[in-house]
Structures are given as structure tokens and as C-alpha cells.
């Protein structure tokens, strides 16, 4: 525990990112509890709609840190990735949680089950990979803005030589284990190929 506290003390931006992630889930759970358990629909809607404000807060803190002379490091890359993936995957996470809360607390229909195979599963894998590509593009854009704001290559090495290649690797791995795997094994099972 002391190591975590030392890390956060040495990297205040990491504390901002952690607070943003915790706040994201507090707003979602709070919004869903207000909406379905307490029957405060407007309050629930406001809390759910406020989750993007946390992303803006993380982005502003990152820009202030970098513009203030901080050397860009892995934490700045994490902030950019948090922002990109939160923007793209956040709404579907809220819909997923909302459907389960509605079913459990408001008598809503059971959430639809995800197809395990077939064309529906293939479409799902392509859609999720497309979301990954979009999230990585947003992350890369934020990284490029940070690199531009800093303006000196020696202060941004961790971003352009570390994070940008990782984003390409991530999209490649996701493609292989997602849509490509589904296309090559449409029955959802690994088939043995005889030589």
C-alpha cells in the first residue's frame, strides 16, 4: 500500500486518473441507483450524463501538467488512453449497466444475450474492433496534441516512441483475437486442420 501511495505522491496526474476512473463508476452506479432504486429519474439522468465531465477533467489536468513544464511520461499516455477508451466504450458500458439495473430493479426485460457464434457474433466482433480503432485514434490524437504542446522531442519520447506503437499493436492483437478469429472459426470452436 505504501508503494501505491508513494507512486501517487510522485505522480499527481496518476491520482487524477484514478479519481476519474473511480468517479466514472460512482456516477454510473449513483445514477442507476437514483434512477431505478430511488425512482429519481432526473437525478439519475444528470449523474449518468455527467460522466463525460470526468473525461474533460482528466484531459484538462493532463494539459495543465504538460504545459506547466512536466516531462511527458507513461502516466500522460495512460491519461490519453483513458480519455480515448472512455469516450468510445463509456456509452456502451452505461447501456450495459442500465439494462441490468432496469431488469433487476424496475421490472424491465432481461438484457439481450450476446450471440456466441454465427453472423451476429461476427458483426459484434467487427463493431467492437472498430470501436477499438476509434478509441486508439482518439488516444493518438490526444498524444499528438500533447507532443505539440510540449514542443521538444526529448520531453515527449515516452509518448511518441512508447505509446503510439502500443496503440498499433493493440489494434492488431484485437483484430486477430476478435473479428479475424471469428471469421476463421465461425462455429466458435477451434477446428483441427489435417495436413
Amino acid at each position: 500500500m505504501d508503494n501505491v501511495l508513494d507512486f501517487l505522491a510522485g505522480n499527481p496526474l496518476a491520482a487524477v486518473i484514478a479519481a476519474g476512473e473511480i468517479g466514472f463508476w460512482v456516477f454510473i452506479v449513483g445514477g442507476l441507483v437514483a434512477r431505478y432504486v430511488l425512482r429519481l429519474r432526473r437525478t439519475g439522468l444528470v449523474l449518468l450524463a455527467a460522466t463525460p465531465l470526468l473525461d474533460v477533467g482528466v484531459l484538462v489536468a493532463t494539459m495543465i501538467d504538460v504545459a506547466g513544464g512536466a516531462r511527458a511520461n507513461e502516466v500522460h499516455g495512460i491519461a490519453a488512453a483513458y480519455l480515448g477508451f472512455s469516450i468510445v466504450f463509456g456509452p456502451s458500458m452505461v447501456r450495459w449497466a442500465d439494462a441490468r439495473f432496469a431488469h433487476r430493479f424496475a421490472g424491465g426485460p432481461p438484457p439481450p444475450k450476446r450471440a456466441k457464434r454465427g453472423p451476429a457474433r461476427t458483426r459484434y466482433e467487427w463493431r467492437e474492433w472498430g470501436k477499438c480503432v476509434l478509441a486508439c485514434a482518439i488516444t493518438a490524437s490526444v498524444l499528438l496534441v500533447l507532443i505539440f504542446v510540449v514542443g521538444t522531442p526529448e520531453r515527449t519520447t515516452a509518448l511518441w516512441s512508447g505509446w503510439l506503437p502500443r496503440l498499433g499493436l493493440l489494434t492488431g492483437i484485437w483484430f486477430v483475437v476478435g473479428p479475424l478469429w471469428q471469421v476463421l472459426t465461425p462455429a466458435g470452436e477451434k477446428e483441427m486442420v489435417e495436413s
Side-chain angles (χ1 to χ4, degrees):
M1 185 67 172
D2 288 337
N3 291 341
V4 172
L5 294 176
D6 291 341
F7 175 76
L8 292 176
N11 296 290
L13 186 58
V16 170
I17 296 168
E21 181 65 16
I22 292 166
F24 176 80
W25 287 106
V26 167
F27 277 39
I28 288 177
V29 172
L32 294 172
V33 167
R35 187 174 189 176
Y36 295 113
V37 177
L38 303 175
R39 305 283 189 231
L40 302 170
R41 296 191 65 76
R42 284 189 182 152
T43 303
L45 182 62
V46 168
L47 287 170
L48 291 173
T51 56
L53 295 177
L54 297 169
D55 298 334
V56 171
V58 170
L59 178 62
V60 168
T62 304
M63 293 301 244
I64 289 170
D65 191 44
V66 171
R71 183 179 191 88
N73 59 30
E74 294 296 317
V75 175
H76 294 90
I78 292 170
Y82 170 79
L83 180 67
F85 280 81
S86 182
I87 288 170
V88 175
F89 286 95
S92 60
M93 292 169 66
V94 170
R95 282 191 303 274
W96 178 88
D98 186 62
R100 278 141 187 84
F101 258 77
H103 175 64
R104 174 77 171 96
F105 296 107
K113 295 189 179 200
R114 186 181 313 145
K116 293 187 178 186
R117 57 183 62 102
R121 180 60 184 221
T122 302
R123 281 191 302 276
Y124 169 81
E125 293 296 341
W126 279 107
R127 184 178 63 247
E128 292 301 300
W129 181 72
K131 287 164 59 175
C132 171
V133 170
L134 179 59
C136 286
I138 292 169
T139 301
S141 298
V142 172
L143 290 171
L144 292 172
V145 167
L146 291 173
I147 290 168
F148 178 75
V149 167
V150 172
T152 55
E154 60 274 359
R155 286 181 48 215
T156 59
T157 303
L159 301 181
W160 57 264
S161 71
W163 272 96
L164 291 175
R166 283 184 191 146
L167 295 173
L169 182 63
L170 174 64
T171 57
I173 291 171
W174 195 310
F175 174 75
V176 170
V177 300
L180 181 62
W181 180 260
Q182 187 61 35
V183 167
L184 295 177
T185 60
E189 299 173 1
K190 185 177 179 181
E191 297 177 3
M192 299 294 287
V193 178
E194 294 182 14
S195 307

